[in-house]
Amino acid sequence: MLIGALAALAAALCWTLASSLWRRLPTSLSGAELNLLKNWLALAMLLPLVLGRPWPAAHGPLLLLALSGVLGIALGDSLYFAALRRLGTRRTLTIDAGGPAVASVGGMVWLAEVPEPLHWLGLGLITLALLLMAWQRSGDALTGRLQMQGVVLALGALLCGSTGALVSRAALRDAAFDPLQSALVRVLAAGLVLLPLLRGWRSRGWGPRPPLRRWPLGLLATLLGTTAGIALQQLALQRLPGGIAVALLATAPLMAIPLAHLEGDRPGWRGWLAALLALSGVSALVA
């Protein structure tokens, strides 16, 4: 269980850093188009790592992994990127971190995974920490329609991501895919579903074409978020019950606090109190 918990926390850190990088990437690509680009970059990074490995003969779990990629990566990440531009890194991650509640309920209904009392305490502490962060005031918060759009998009990303994680968990319980193999299947399924977006690029001359200085930023964000982050997520889902895994993965907004000043965001005392509550919750989950 300790390995799964460490993998989940490492994945959360990777996603936090990647989100900050994507937020600062100057581009006019839509959220879905940016998602398509990062998925195919991730495939290029993952393929050399899985070539020659034996694959389990399990068609049902393979289809479930593909479905989880469509839901969690193709749909979820597209909505997430769109929300990220409207709300900023910390706020988007805060809404997205509502996943523990969704995953716990889903895990009880579909996977018969009921958390133990101490785990419920951990879930409650993390949820309280996230509520504190959500209520926090900030001078640069987006207002009006743009903010409402961001909230709706982030909630859609939350539902898609949590559902994709549960479907992936169900697949990993029934087949011996290693984390890199399952990550490859999910990213490949997402990349194929998003391929029709290429027609839009072609009709406008394959634009925009970012200068070369933007590509290292995009490649690093892809390596952290889509390659390492998803592989670590799959390891966590393989070693932990779905609700606990998603709870640990949901600590990303707390890790975003030290990066908040880069976007003009000031967490304040509520942010640090939330970090302490979340740390206590994580300790209860892995006890």
Side-chain angles (χ1 to χ4, degrees):
M1 190 167 179
L2 178 60
I3 294 177
L6 291 175
L9 293 173
L13 178 59
C14 286
W15 288 338
T16 301
L17 296 174
S19 295
S20 181
L21 291 173
W22 286 122
R23 166 76 173 167
R24 289 186 287 165
L25 183 69
T27 179
S28 60
L29 292 173
S30 69
E33 290 168 337
L34 193 59
N35 192 16
L36 171 64
L37 177 62
K38 65 96 173 166
N39 283 332
W40 284 99
L41 287 174
L43 281 173
M45 297 177 185
L46 283 169
L47 275 174
L49 301 177
V50 299
L51 288 177
R53 295 191 180 197
W55 285 72
H59 299 295
L62 190 65
L63 291 176
L64 285 177
L65 281 175
L67 176 60
S68 75
V70 173
L71 291 172
I73 300 177
L75 292 177
D77 284 3
S78 294
L79 294 171
Y80 180 83
F81 279 139
L84 193 63
R85 292 177 175 176
R86 292 164 173 82
L87 296 177
T89 302
R90 187 176 64 88
R91 293 178 183 83
T92 305
L93 284 171
T94 298
I95 295 175
D96 191 59
V102 177
S104 294
V105 173
M108 285 190 291
V109 173
W110 292 310
L111 303 179
E113 295 179 345
V114 181
E116 297 179 1
L118 189 59
H119 295 159
W120 279 115
L121 174 62
L123 291 170
L125 289 172
I126 291 177
T127 301
L128 179 59
L130 297 174
L131 287 174
L132 276 174
M133 294 183 66
W135 291 337
Q136 203 175 335
R137 294 181 180 180
S138 177
D140 68 340
L142 296 177
T143 58
R145 179 181 297 181
L146 191 62
Q147 186 177 26
M148 183 58 63
Q149 287 176 351
V151 170
V152 172
L153 290 166
L155 288 173
L158 162 65
L159 292 175
C160 290
S162 298
T163 304
L166 286 171
V167 173
S168 181
R169 167 67 178 164
L172 293 173
R173 291 202 312 178
D174 299 328
F177 290 99
D178 68 37
L180 288 176
Q181 288 175 329
S182 57
L184 177 68
V185 173
R186 296 188 72 211
V187 173
L188 178 60
L192 291 175
V193 166
L194 293 171
L195 269 181
L197 293 175
L198 287 177
R199 288 180 296 182
W201 286 3
R202 191 173 186 179
S203 65
R204 66 188 190 197
W206 291 88
R209 295 182 178 131
L212 290 178
R213 63 183 178 85
R214 299 182 189 177
W215 285 105
L217 198 64
L219 288 171
L220 179 58
T222 301
L223 176 63
L224 287 172
T226 310
T227 307
I230 292 180
L232 289 166
Q233 177 204 43
Q234 296 306 107
L235 178 59
L237 291 171
Q238 194 174 48
R239 298 294 186 97
L240 297 173
I244 295 176
V246 177
L248 294 175
L249 293 167
T251 57
L254 303 172
M255 298 180 183
I257 291 178
L259 303 175
H261 71 281
L262 297 176
E263 299 178 12
D265 187 8
R266 299 182 182 277
W269 67 267
R270 287 186 179 89
W272 293 109
L273 176 59
L276 292 175
L277 287 172
L279 180 61
S280 300
V282 169
S283 299
L285 285 171
V286 300

